[in-house]
Amino acid sequence: MKKRYFLLLLSLSFFTFGCQSIFDCVIPVEAELPNAQFPIGSTETYYYKQLTGEVNNEPRDDDYDYFFDVFGLPEGMDYFVNYRTISIEGRPVEAGTYDITISLFVEGPFNNNNESILCDQETSKTYTIIIE
């Protein structure tokens, strides 16, 4: 008996909210930055680290536009963007531990109502860089 109520409830939900809403909850399509550890750097050498943004659960993530922003870089370092890839590089001036935040905003394909098909278009992650 409980099984019938569950199936009835599931069917009503499907017809009420549609297929896309159900999949949004179960399989979110959203901007994502990788989990990564940054190497330990030195004020005497050139520093370089590369990360690639993506849209998870989306095989067409090359069809999106990617916009990055970075906060908290040590003096002497900068970032450069090449489509989905962001490079953190430069020659740090001062030793220390730096928490940098990388923000990613993704814009891309839209549905028939000119709405984004993404559950979440932006994300950010904080990484730690150690300079000796």
Side-chain angles (χ1 to χ4, degrees):
M1 189 67 144
K2 288 183 181 181
K3 189 174 183 179
R4 285 186 185 172
Y5 285 121
F6 176 73
L7 290 175
L8 179 62
L9 182 63
L10 183 63
S11 298
L12 287 173
S13 298
F14 178 76
F15 289 116
T16 304
F17 298 112
C19 184
Q20 188 64 34
S21 296
I22 291 172
F23 287 127
D24 285 349
C25 296
V26 177
I27 306 172
V29 178
E30 56 195 6
E32 184 172 74
L33 287 166
N35 293 326
Q37 287 191 339
F38 280 61
I40 295 174
S42 169
T43 57
E44 300 170 2
T45 58
Y46 194 78
Y47 189 93
Y48 182 83
K49 175 66 177 174
Q50 180 176 301
L51 299 172
T52 301
E54 65 180 38
V55 176
N56 67 348
N57 300 314
E58 171 61 279
R60 304 169 303 146
D61 56 357
D62 283 336
D63 294 344
Y64 293 81
D65 294 320
Y66 293 77
F67 304 95
F68 292 90
D69 209 354
V70 179
F71 305 96
L73 281 175
E75 185 179 344
M77 295 182 65
D78 206 349
Y79 70 96
F80 302 93
V81 176
N82 182 9
Y83 185 50
R84 290 175 48 192
T85 303
I86 181 168
S87 302
I88 307 295
E89 56 188 281
R91 189 176 302 274
V93 174
E94 193 174 317
T97 301
Y98 300 90
D99 289 329
I100 65 163
T101 301
I102 300 177
S103 297
L104 170 62
F105 178 80
V106 179
E107 191 174 73
F110 298 94
N111 65 17
N112 293 339
N113 297 330
N114 204 26
E115 297 171 346
S116 175
I117 62 172
L118 293 171
C119 297
D120 198 354
Q121 292 180 279
E122 59 186 292
T123 188
S124 66
K125 219 171 239 188
T126 300
Y127 302 93
T128 300
I129 296 177
I130 299 172
I131 305 298
E132 297 178 334

